Amino acid sequence: MMGKWPSYLREEYNTLLRVIRKAKRNGFHSPLDRMLQTHGGEILQMARASMRSLRNSDYKSICRKTAATLCHGDCGPTNIIRTRKGMYLIDFETLRLDLRTYDLYRLIFNSCKDHNWNFAIAQSGYQKVYKLNRSDYQLLKILLRFPRGMCKLVEHYDKKSPKDKLQIERDFPKVLGHERRRSAFLKKLDIYAG
């Protein structure tokens, strides 16, 4: 995945755009239509801001200068087991070669989303393992800004069972709230980065 963030974010953006356009045409004939009609512009704006930041970043240069790191790809509390002998990382089906910032992004995303984006959780001492520089923070913010949770929630809505569709409709406000709370989290990250 090294060097492929722009195409990855574009693909996710196009998924959001397709679903939002369909909802505007009332294509799902469901409560999801109304929610996407109301909030679709805001969601796309978050995605465009992330993509714009990536275009204006040093990402391409960093990829040329940096050796790829083996990344877990889905690091977080559900994939870490704690025993008397220590902590162990499990579930390696998402392994990838990428910048180490990607794994840190997944760790922060998976650890903070269920805790209302409490910044204290992200301050867990990663700096002791690897000193982050300004570019690391810049790339981390790009990935955290993108509304990936919303994309994953709605991307296959039309192929879901009625029960799953109902759950997506119930989850929509919660996921949108998470996307919004990340902007305050990112401001704290700016202050923390110095």
Side-chain angles (χ1 to χ4, degrees), residues 38 44 164:
T38 303
L44 290 175
D164 289 341

Side-chain angles (χ1 to χ4, degrees), residues 18 22 28 155-162 164-165:
R18 177 184 47 79
K22 185 171 184 173
F28 296 116
E155 71 179 325
H156 298 295
Y157 176 84
D158 52 349
K159 296 175 184 166
K160 300 287 186 182
S161 70
D164 289 341
K165 286 181 179 180

Side-chain angles (χ1 to χ4, degrees), residues 38-146:
T38 303
H39 304 289
E42 177 187 0
I43 294 164
L44 290 175
Q45 187 176 29
M46 291 174 195
R48 284 192 295 265
S50 177
M51 294 166 65
R52 190 171 38 255
S53 293
L54 182 59
R55 274 192 308 275
N56 295 330
S57 75
D58 297 331
Y59 176 71
K60 289 179 182 177
S61 172
I62 292 166
C63 288
R64 282 192 301 271
K65 296 176 189 172
T66 307
T69 300
L70 184 62
C71 296
H72 182 275
D74 195 22
C75 193
T78 58
N79 286 328
I80 298 172
I81 294 178
R82 187 178 197 157
T83 70
R84 286 185 213 140
K85 293 183 179 184
M87 295 173 70
Y88 299 93
L89 202 52
I90 61 168
D91 292 340
F92 294 94
E93 69 272 358
T94 54
L95 281 178
R96 64 196 274 167
L97 289 172
D98 207 336
L99 297 174
R100 72 175 67 230
T101 308
Y102 182 80
D103 248 1
L104 181 57
Y105 149 70
R106 292 299 297 160
L107 178 62
I108 290 172
F109 183 89
N110 288 332
S111 300
C112 293
K113 71 179 177 178
D114 295 330
H115 298 283
N116 290 319
W117 289 92
N118 179 347
F119 190 75
I121 291 170
Q123 292 176 283
S124 62
Y126 188 83
Q127 290 274 47
K128 294 175 188 172
V129 177
Y130 177 78
K131 186 78 171 150
L132 299 174
N133 60 40
R134 188 159 296 288
S135 295
D136 293 322
Y137 284 111
Q138 178 188 41
L139 295 176
L140 189 57
K141 283 175 45 183
I142 289 165
L143 293 175
L144 285 167
R145 181 177 287 128
F146 195 89

